[in-house]
Amino acid sequence: MEDTQIHGLLSALPQPALLITGRERIVGSNGKADALLAHRSGGTAKTPAPSLAGRHLITVIRQPSVIEAVERAGETGQNQRARYLGSEGRAESTYQVHCGPVALNEFRGVLVTFEDISEAEANDQMRRDFVANVSHELRTPLTALMGFLETLKGPAAEDPAARERFLTIMLDEAGRMNRLVSDLLSLSQVEAASRRRPSQPVNMLDLVEDTLSGLGPVAEASNVTVETVLPDQPVSLPGDRDQLRQVLTNLVENAIKYGGRDNTVTLRMERLTRDPMLRQAGVRIDVTDRGPGIDPLHLPRLTERFYRIDSHRSREMGGTGLGLAIVKHILNRHRGRLKITSDLGEGSTFSIRLPLQQ
Ligand code: ADP
């Protein structure tokens, strides 16, 4: 095969590809392979990387598993796979390398193609982390429950006062597991519906009233006053009422929990004729507390699942660490936004924006 034919064929492939002959000499490469392997062969991001044709594979890829897979494919005539770790820019990327033997007339070689599997790998890692986190979160209350059950069966069997105390703690721990499971279910329901745009008209003033009356007992228990500043005109937007209620509930409940006892929480709603973030008319709802505030260091990570500033305090308050992750997912589904601002010692504002039209 001639070089131009090889180049033409390789250029038609969607992934980076190299053609290699007998002693690991590269006889052809496409532009994507030149670019992918450029950092090892002197190319820069600005100029197209020089062709790798003519070079020896070992000088281009210094990862033994890839070289071995190419050799094995040549020797055995069977497809081989390997993993190539690239480092384009700063981000690490992972490629699945396919080595396919080629026999065309007299020509014997190996076609090496690179499939970018970084995203799939990152998703896998996220799933593994999530399962590990969930297991850990469930195990803590479960261990406590089992411990108390053992004590109730044994040493505390005949002690009514201890029994009473332990049952109260057990009820608490079971409640924690229950909240965690309901938050997990909410999260998976929101994710499952994420591609369906919500369309039911939601009366936002009504929704605020409903949400706050639902939270009445929680506010009362902490002696927190929730004040509202609402528009005079009704505001309606396309949404999923139950989900929007959950957003408001989570934000106001957090403001009550973390804002501190005997304090005031403010819910302010405003209609915006044109919001620069949404690029259309929208509604902004700010939930402000006057608690200790949040160190800016934590702000970017607050909506991650199970991210808590102070795990002990969150647990004490009955938190699952999923509230803000649920808020973020619901807002994404509604094409809305969440912005958190906070001054240490002054309090925090969780501000959401929702478009008036989908
Ligand atoms: P949790 O169930 O722990 O409350 P969230 O996802 O609702 O989980 O919140 C994540 C973390 O963000 C909380 O653990 C808390 O540290 C912090 N946080 C949330 N809301 C506030 C607030 N109003 N003031 C201070 N910290 C907050």
Side-chain angles (χ1 to χ4, degrees):
M1 245 191 316
E2 287 178 19
D3 286 359
T4 48
Q5 286 176 315
I6 294 175
H7 187 76
L9 271 174
L10 294 184
S11 298
L13 289 174
Q15 322 99 323
L18 301 171
L19 186 63
I20 305 206
T21 51
R23 277 173 212 84
E24 277 109 59
R25 198 172 59 82
I26 301 173
V27 285
S29 63
N30 63 12
K32 294 176 201 90
D34 298 336
L36 173 67
L37 304 167
H39 59 287
R40 302 201 186 270
S41 47
T44 66
K46 290 208 176 71
T47 53
S51 169
L52 299 171
R55 298 187 51 174
H56 199 277
L57 185 65
I58 290 177
T59 66
V60 173
I61 299 180
R62 293 202 177 87
Q63 294 178 23
S65 59
V66 179
I67 311 282
E68 273 166 32
V70 173
E71 279 173 6
R72 232 175 308 125
E75 282 162 17
T76 62
Q78 281 171 359
N79 288 328
Q80 303 290 330
R81 281 178 183 194
R83 202 162 264 250
Y84 174 76
L85 299 174
S87 48
E88 300 152 359
R90 274 187 310 134
E92 288 278 320
S93 39
T94 311
Y95 291 83
Q96 172 90 265
V97 184
H98 300 262
C99 307
V102 180
L104 270 177
N105 303 328
E106 305 292 290
F107 180 87
R108 294 289 174 274
V110 178
L111 177 66
V112 184
T113 51
F114 297 77
E115 183 189 353
D116 190 346
I117 53 166
S118 319
E119 205 173 312
E121 293 261 298
N123 284 342
D124 264 6
Q125 185 58 43
M126 254 169 61
R127 253 194 304 275
R128 279 196 295 272
D129 289 350
F130 183 61
V131 172
N133 278 331
V134 170
S135 315
H136 174 77
E137 297 283 338
L138 279 171
R139 195 165 58 186
T140 313
L142 193 57
T143 309
L145 274 178
M146 299 208 18
F148 285 117
L149 280 172
E150 300 247 322
T151 321
L152 282 177
K153 265 188 83 181
E158 308 302 332
D159 180 345
R163 195 166 57 213
E164 193 51 37
R165 208 172 62 237
F166 292 161
L167 283 176
T168 309
I169 305 176
M170 285 168 68
L171 205 59
D172 230 43
E173 297 293 341
R176 181 192 310 285
M177 288 174 75
N178 195 25
R179 276 194 302 281
L180 182 65
V181 172
S182 359
D183 275 2
L184 285 169
L185 270 176
S186 295
L187 201 58
S188 86
Q189 277 161 1
V190 178
E191 275 180 333
S194 65
R195 284 172 194 282
R196 263 182 289 125
R197 292 273 157 248
S199 55
Q200 161 203 359
V202 181
N203 177 332
M204 294 303 285
L205 293 179
D206 237 33
L207 185 73
V208 168
E209 198 184 310
D210 262 15
T211 310
L212 296 188
S213 74
L215 284 171
V218 182
E220 225 164 85
S222 307
N223 193 31
V224 168
T225 314
V226 182
E227 56 171 35
T228 52
V229 184
L230 302 173
D232 306 328
Q233 302 293 320
V235 181
S236 166
L237 56 81
D240 178 318
R241 194 175 198 280
D242 290 342
Q243 288 192 350
L244 291 179
R245 184 179 165 140
Q246 186 154 26
V247 167
L248 293 185
T249 303
N250 289 1
L251 295 183
V252 176
E253 198 173 4
N254 276 352
I256 296 172
K257 279 191 319 198
Y258 299 107
R261 289 190 66 83
D262 313 324
N263 233 323
T264 305
V265 166
T266 310
L267 185 149
R268 183 187 306 272
M269 188 192 308
E270 197 183 339
R271 208 188 143 119
L272 310 158
T273 4
R274 189 181 153 76
D275 179 69
M277 265 162 101
L278 300 172
R279 298 194 189 162
Q280 61 153 299
V283 55
R284 192 178 81 206
I285 302 174
D286 291 348
V287 178
T288 305
D289 65 65
R290 289 154 187 85
I294 301 164
D295 191 316
L297 176 89
H298 298 292
L299 293 184
R301 299 197 55 190
L302 281 192
T303 57
E304 282 175 24
R305 295 160 185 194
F306 299 117
Y307 188 86
R308 301 166 170 116
I309 298 170
D310 178 344
S311 320
H312 182 70
R313 187 165 151 78
S314 156
R315 289 216 175 85
E316 219 172 48
M317 304 270 190
T320 60
L322 292 174
L324 292 178
I326 294 174
V327 165
K328 187 184 78 177
H329 271 83
I330 296 179
L331 289 178
N332 282 349
R333 184 181 170 215
H334 285 76
R335 295 186 195 278
R337 296 288 163 87
L338 170 70
K339 199 170 151 221
I340 311 169
T341 46
S342 184
D343 285 316
L344 276 177
E346 305 275 317
S348 318
T349 296
F350 286 71
S351 176
I352 63 168
R353 286 144 198 262
L354 288 161
L356 283 188
Q357 258 148 30
Q358 281 298 325

